[in-house]
Amino acid sequence: MQAPYEMTEGLERLKSILSERPSDSAHWNEAQNRFQFIDRLLIECLGWERPALKVEETIDGGGRADYLLGMPCKAVLEAKKESKLWDTIPAGHSGLLRKIKPLMTASKAFSEVVTQVIPYCSLHGAPIAVVCNGPQLAIFQAITIGQKPLEGDCYLFDGFSKYIQEFVTLWTLLSPEGITENRANLNLARHRNPRLPVKASQSISEPNKYRYRDRLQEELRTLSSLLLEEIEDNPELRINFYRDCYVPIEANNRHLLLSKQIIDSRYRRVGGDGISPASADSMSKASDLTADFSMGAGSRPIVVVGDVGVGKSSFFENLFLNIIDIESNDTVFININLGVKATLSTDIKTYVLQSIPDVLSTSYGIDIFSMEFVNAIYFKEIQAFDRGVEGALKDIDHSAYQQAKIKFLKEKTLRSDLHLHASLGHLSRGRNKRIILVLDNADQRTFEVQQEAFLIAQELAATRNLFVFIALRPSTFFMSKTTGALSAYHSKLLTISPPPADEVIQRRLTFALRIAEGKSVPASFDGIRFNLQNIASFLRATLRSVKSNEEIRQFLGNITGGNTRSVIELITSFCGSPNVDARKIVEIEFEKGNYVVPLHEFTKHALLGEFSYYNPQSSLFACNMFDVSEADSREHFLSNLIVGYVSSNLGKRDNDGYVRGETIIRELSRLGFIENQVIGRLATLANKRILETPHSHFREIELREGESAEALNYRATSIGLYHIKFWVGSFSFLDAMSIDTPIFDEAVRELVCSLAPSFEISDRYKKTVAFRRYLEEKWHQSSFDTIYYDFPAILSAQAHAFDLVAKVAMRRGDTRKGRPRPYR
């Protein structure tokens, strides 16, 4: 909302209205006061227009609000007649900011109108209340989380002279812009809210300290990277690797906490036009490929859309293997990696023009610059040359003719783009080759580079000489479709959905274990001088744990959010993590051969990574769901409530499971949170992939001018659902977050701070139990009126983990600071 005129014009209009004010205005009743002055103040001086300004709105349960400001309502103004002056206001204070309680004590009229307007604000979810009798106007917070509104401050404009003198402030607080930007609420909050308590991490001398690996952990980390990540790039194993490790796109994600409807609609809105794109699993079988390619190359590139790490490169590799099985002699497959290999090139076009001839030469023995090939593709041009002036040299001076012809053909080949088109056309039409070009990992480059890559793909596809695939992110495709290069073209679109994370990692571990055990060793591994027995034992125990433990499979499948690359990196870094007792795992596995790694070892690594203590940078997967931005303990649960509401059936969801931001804000306002708190948290949760918007706003796309967070749509991700349903109640999560969360109870804060630096299990147990009880107590004190999230039930479901930790501490004899007792 924006006023239709400038502030200076509003001030001049106010001066004019006051100069014309009749002397008998003190005898106006409330209706006259509203019509003669307050209406004009809002509309003529402060810039309000309908429909953002509503009057005489009936309140549920009785009563009528005089003015509702904003859409949705953000402030309620209650008017009174001028004769009800607040004439006993305490003197001795010249500023605008005043304490509300003394004013109410001194003036019965002020007390009555303030008491009347607060319920109106509560019922409308409006954080700001305004009361006015004509010459006097007060602005205060009607909804203050965890605090009583009458114990705060107000802006008091006492007399028309104050209206004029402080009009800049009045405009700032009550103009449409001021109300939209929540200026009054923010300014008043600064004066009443205490500072946030320091986090317990401040009591640790090195809170961001790295935890270094020992020799065994370093060895495991190096070998796991070689066997789990780098192995797919080994040319000797490439075909066997993808045959054994590729997980079909249509595989069932049975461990995801998301509904099948949301999984199926993952990319439904990617194009922004409401048309559902086809799934890439339509090209995942040999029979499907034969049917698609038999129709010939199209004139448009095929855009393959999928989130980062979802498996687009694996899809292309599997596509290549299927093609080999079908018709290896007649198909030319060119895969150009625009991610890693093209970063040093001056520009993408040059890199593509150089790479295609290189692949044709090295993989298929086709040299498009050889004289034989050049003569073949320019056969008609040579005939025209022979009919020309220089062609006459053929019968006169053969040597001169050959030189002229060579010069003519050289000029053809120097025009690299046209020569490439001619070469591909010859292969396609002259030699009946089916050419498939893949521009992979374009989504790892900048938006501008992705735009250029698409235009190259479009130009090549337009020749109808080859099939062209290009990989893009959903967010890039949306941005380009609405504002960039794709807006001018109608592209064929395929989407890649994530395969089950547990099946991906089981296949990788099985393949890596086969190599570590010496059952399939490439020649390039002959020079390795590591002890593969250790990594084989660790991989064997890890594989057994993933296969046998449903909780581990659920954790891996949900916390990585369908990002195949992330789950591989998580398991790779788990091998040799400084926060995992690798020696114990290897020794037990080597001696007994039956070790099962418990879930908490995986979650601890996911929380701490390479660090000694949790911090926001230590984990790529965890989000502190208890952190706060205001000095209000109720905010510990804001993140959980948002995710719980969005994932419930209570919010008004569309067919794809999204809930509009303003609906979320309205619900959380009902629970007592202010709009800015909710908007800020929505941005944080979307950035941390706890929530998602249709086009990855906040995380990949910034809000454009005119866009607002409340106008976006949100739904919970598997990462968010795992957090609120399992992780937030677990010992490992609460242990990590206890030092990163402001604690408002002084006794609990002192205890957590005193134990924060310790790694002793008994100290960690005491610290975490105290933090857990603190959160449970604050939940009950908050009295949230909601049925879609039950925090105590989540804690109760995880109580067994606390009992196990207590038993471990007792078994270790760690009783220097008191014997741990099972939590109940």
Side-chain angles (χ1 to χ4, degrees):
M1 292 181 292
Q2 188 173 3
Y5 46 82
E6 296 295 330
M7 179 188 68
T8 51
E9 185 176 345
L11 176 59
E12 293 304 316
R13 291 181 177 188
L14 177 60
K15 290 178 179 178
S16 176
I17 291 172
L18 293 178
S19 67
E20 299 169 359
R21 188 174 177 83
S23 58
D24 63 347
S25 62
H27 301 292
W28 288 347
N29 59 29
E30 181 181 321
Q32 289 175 310
N33 197 25
R34 287 170 50 195
F35 178 75
Q36 297 285 357
F37 178 69
I38 299 177
D39 282 2
R40 299 185 69 186
L41 173 68
L42 292 173
I43 297 171
E44 297 179 33
C45 306
L46 294 175
W48 283 94
E49 297 178 297
R50 293 180 177 83
L53 175 65
K54 296 181 180 179
V55 297
E56 292 289 332
E57 286 286 317
T58 302
I59 304 296
D60 294 338
R64 190 185 298 269
D66 291 334
Y67 299 88
L68 302 182
L69 307 180
M71 292 182 62
C73 178
K74 297 185 178 183
V76 176
L77 189 154
E78 183 62 25
K80 292 299 176 184
K81 57 185 178 181
E82 186 175 330
S83 61
K84 285 201 170 185
L85 285 174
W86 314 323
D87 50 6
T88 54
I89 290 177
H93 196 298
S94 59
L96 289 176
L97 272 172
R98 306 288 291 268
K99 291 290 182 184
I100 295 176
K101 264 197 170 181
L103 298 178
M104 294 180 67
T105 302
S107 172
K108 181 180 178 181
F110 182 76
S111 179
E112 288 175 350
V113 70
V114 165
T115 306
Q116 179 183 355
V117 76
I118 288 176
Y120 297 168
C121 291
S122 179
L123 290 170
H124 280 283
I128 289 298
V130 185
V131 293
C132 181
N133 59 19
Q136 295 168 308
L137 182 146
I139 306 168
F140 64 95
Q141 290 175 297
I143 299 176
T144 49
I145 304 168
Q147 301 177 42
K148 298 176 181 179
L150 301 184
E151 293 180 355
D153 300 316
C154 71
Y155 282 98
L156 176 64
F157 295 83
D158 188 15
F160 290 128
S161 60
K162 280 290 184 183
Y163 282 61
I164 300 298
Q165 294 169 13
E166 303 290 348
F167 188 78
V168 172
T169 302
L170 185 63
W171 177 276
T172 300
L173 303 178
L174 282 190
S175 67
E177 294 95 322
I179 291 295
T180 300
E181 295 169 8
N182 213 15
R183 293 291 186 86
N185 203 31
L186 293 173
N187 290 356
L188 289 166
R190 292 193 190 101
H191 291 281
R192 71 176 297 163
N193 286 344
R195 296 178 63 182
L196 284 173
V198 296
K199 297 180 177 181
S201 58
Q202 297 300 308
S203 62
I204 302 173
S205 58
E206 294 182 77
N208 297 329
K209 178 182 177 182
Y210 279 95
R211 198 163 192 170
Y212 295 101
R213 303 184 187 92
D214 60 25
R215 185 174 180 179
L216 174 61
Q217 291 169 336
E218 195 65 52
E219 177 186 307
L220 292 176
R221 182 66 181 89
T222 301
L223 286 174
S224 66
S225 179
L226 181 67
L227 295 173
L228 291 172
E229 289 185 313
E230 298 173 25
I231 199 75
E232 62 187 270
D233 297 324
N234 190 304
E236 299 174 53
L237 295 171
R238 178 167 167 252
I239 293 179
N240 288 334
F241 172 83
Y242 280 102
R243 289 195 192 281
D244 292 351
C245 296
Y246 180 75
V247 180
I249 300 166
E250 67 271 16
N252 180 27
N253 271 290
R254 55 194 172 278
H255 298 296
L256 277 184
L257 296 172
L258 300 172
S259 68
K260 187 177 185 302
Q261 177 191 8
I262 290 180
I263 294 173
D264 292 341
S265 65
R266 184 181 185 97
Y267 300 122
R268 187 174 295 169
R269 301 190 183 190
V270 68
D273 52 10
I275 300 174
S276 299
S279 173
D281 60 10
S282 63
M283 300 189 71
S284 61
K285 301 182 180 66
S287 57
D288 299 326
L289 287 168
T290 304
D292 282 328
F293 292 155
S294 65
M295 299 176 64
S299 61
R300 296 172 291 158
I302 301 171
V303 181
V304 178
V305 173
D307 288 316
V308 176
V310 80
K312 296 187 289 295
S313 295
S314 296
F315 166 76
F316 292 132
E317 291 291 345
N318 182 66
L319 180 67
F320 168 69
L321 294 178
N322 275 291
I323 290 167
I324 290 178
D325 291 339
I326 300 170
E327 42 190 23
S328 58
N329 294 327
D330 296 326
T331 302
V332 174
F333 188 87
I334 305 170
N335 191 331
I336 299 179
N337 188 339
L338 298 180
V340 177
K341 296 180 180 179
T343 52
L344 296 178
S345 300
T346 54
D347 61 85
I348 292 296
K349 184 175 182 179
T350 301
Y351 179 75
V352 171
L353 291 175
Q354 292 173 347
S355 297
I356 294 177
D358 289 346
V359 174
L360 289 173
S361 177
T362 56
S363 300
Y364 299 96
I366 300 172
D367 184 359
I368 68 172
F369 296 102
S370 70
M371 196 63 185
E372 180 183 358
F373 191 88
V374 171
N375 277 322
I377 65 175
Y378 294 118
F379 177 74
K380 290 183 178 180
E381 287 83 350
I382 292 174
Q383 286 184 324
F385 175 84
D386 287 345
R387 292 193 298 269
V389 175
E390 291 184 296
L393 292 170
K394 188 175 184 179
D395 298 325
I396 303 171
D397 188 342
H398 187 72
S399 176
Y401 166 77
Q402 289 293 335
Q403 290 181 4
K405 180 182 172 183
I406 290 172
K407 181 181 178 182
F408 170 75
L409 293 176
K410 182 178 180 181
E411 290 176 352
K412 291 283 188 183
T413 61
L414 287 176
R415 301 180 65 178
S416 54
D417 52 345
L418 296 179
H419 179 61
L420 181 61
H421 286 317
S423 301
L424 296 174
H426 173 72
L427 291 173
S428 174
R429 297 184 177 89
R431 300 191 183 182
N432 294 320
K433 296 289 186 181
R434 184 167 288 119
I435 307 171
I436 300 172
L437 171 66
V438 173
L439 298 179
D440 195 11
N441 290 321
D443 59 329
Q444 295 182 13
R445 305 297 297 274
T446 64
F447 178 74
E448 290 73 23
V449 170
Q450 293 182 65
Q451 298 289 286
E452 185 180 359
F454 173 80
L455 292 175
I456 293 170
Q458 177 64 43
E459 180 181 340
L460 290 169
T463 63
R464 293 182 177 270
N465 294 324
L466 67 167
F467 289 91
V468 183
F469 292 83
I470 180 170
L472 296 176
R473 298 184 203 176
S475 57
T476 303
F477 182 83
F478 171 73
M479 288 175 63
S480 187
K481 191 70 177 174
T482 54
T483 62
L486 272 70
S487 61
Y489 302 96
H490 182 66
S491 305
K492 184 174 182 180
L493 186 64
L494 294 178
T495 60
I496 300 281
S497 294
D502 61 307
E503 190 168 343
V504 169
I505 208 61
Q506 286 183 60
R507 293 195 184 195
R508 287 252 180 171
L509 286 169
T510 301
F511 191 85
L513 183 58
R514 196 161 65 240
I515 294 174
E517 291 176 337
K519 297 177 181 178
S520 176
V521 182
S524 57
F525 277 37
D526 289 344
I528 294 179
R529 293 292 180 266
F530 288 106
N531 180 4
L532 293 179
Q533 179 177 293
N534 289 334
I535 187 65
S537 296
F538 195 95
L539 291 174
R540 198 178 300 114
T542 304
L543 178 59
R544 181 186 304 112
S545 306
V546 174
K547 283 184 173 181
S548 63
N549 193 325
E550 175 78 13
E551 290 183 331
I552 292 176
R553 294 198 298 275
Q554 186 181 62
F555 170 74
L556 294 175
N558 287 285
I559 209 63
T560 52
N563 190 322
T564 303
R565 189 182 305 157
S566 287
V567 74
I568 293 169
E569 290 175 353
L570 176 61
I571 293 298
T572 302
S573 57
F574 174 76
C575 302
S577 169
N579 285 297
V580 175
D581 192 347
R583 190 168 301 280
K584 179 184 73 172
I585 295 173
V586 169
E587 289 177 354
I588 295 177
E589 178 63 28
F590 182 74
E591 293 173 6
K592 300 181 179 180
N594 63 351
Y595 187 78
V596 176
V597 184
L599 172 64
H600 70 79
E601 293 279 18
F602 290 92
T603 59
K604 182 182 178 184
H605 168 65
L607 286 161
L608 302 181
E610 307 286 312
F611 292 83
S612 297
Y613 306 96
Y614 174 81
N615 64 74
Q617 284 74 46
S618 68
S619 176
L620 297 175
F621 309 99
C623 172
N624 186 354
M625 303 294 279
F626 305 118
D627 206 357
V628 298
S629 60
E630 304 279 348
D632 166 37
S633 61
R634 300 170 81 254
E635 197 179 337
H636 286 314
F637 311 102
L638 178 57
S639 295
N640 297 284
L641 289 168
I642 289 175
V643 180
Y645 177 68
V646 169
S647 59
S648 73
N649 292 321
L650 297 179
K652 187 177 180 182
R653 299 199 292 176
D654 61 25
N655 292 335
D656 299 330
Y658 287 100
V659 181
R660 197 162 177 81
E662 59 190 25
T663 304
I664 301 171
I665 293 170
R666 191 179 305 116
E667 167 63 16
L668 273 297
S669 297
R670 184 184 69 81
L671 298 180
F673 295 98
I674 61 175
E675 183 176 348
N676 273 22
Q677 278 180 302
V678 183
I679 289 176
R681 194 56 53 91
L682 286 173
T684 299
L685 296 177
N687 190 49
K688 296 290 286 186
R689 299 184 68 203
I690 303 296
L691 298 177
E692 65 180 355
T693 67
H695 307 297
S696 301
H697 282 89
F698 300 109
R699 184 164 54 90
E700 295 183 13
I701 300 178
E702 295 182 0
L703 289 183
R704 290 179 292 190
E705 187 176 350
E707 287 184 318
S708 59
E710 58 262 41
L712 298 177
N713 296 299
Y714 302 85
R715 70 182 178 193
T717 64
S718 66
I719 301 173
L721 291 175
Y722 190 85
H723 270 78
I724 70 165
K725 291 186 176 183
F726 298 98
W727 221 359
V728 295
S730 68
F731 178 85
S732 58
F733 190 88
L734 291 169
D735 177 26
M737 300 306 153
S738 64
I739 66 169
D740 190 56
T741 304
I743 298 174
F744 296 94
D745 184 296
E746 187 174 352
V748 177
R749 184 169 66 251
E750 289 181 358
L751 174 64
V752 172
C753 286
S754 67
L755 300 176
S758 176
F759 295 115
E760 298 292 344
I761 190 64
S762 65
D763 290 340
R764 291 173 53 207
Y765 178 81
K766 289 179 183 178
K767 173 191 68 179
T768 308
V769 165
F771 183 58
R772 171 181 167 145
R773 285 177 173 153
Y774 161 78
L775 289 174
E776 191 169 15
E777 179 183 337
K778 292 302 180 185
W779 172 269
H780 289 301
Q781 288 178 0
S782 300
S783 300
F784 293 116
D785 179 20
T786 174
I787 60 173
Y788 49 78
Y789 192 68
D790 187 352
F791 183 62
I794 304 297
L795 295 180
S796 178
Q798 297 286 338
H800 66 282
F802 282 75
D803 293 346
L804 290 174
V805 175
K807 290 177 182 178
V808 170
M810 293 170 68
R811 189 168 62 245
R812 291 184 181 179
D814 194 2
T815 57
R816 286 170 294 176
K817 297 185 180 179
R819 192 177 186 83
R821 294 178 299 173
Y823 179 84
R824 281 292 183 271

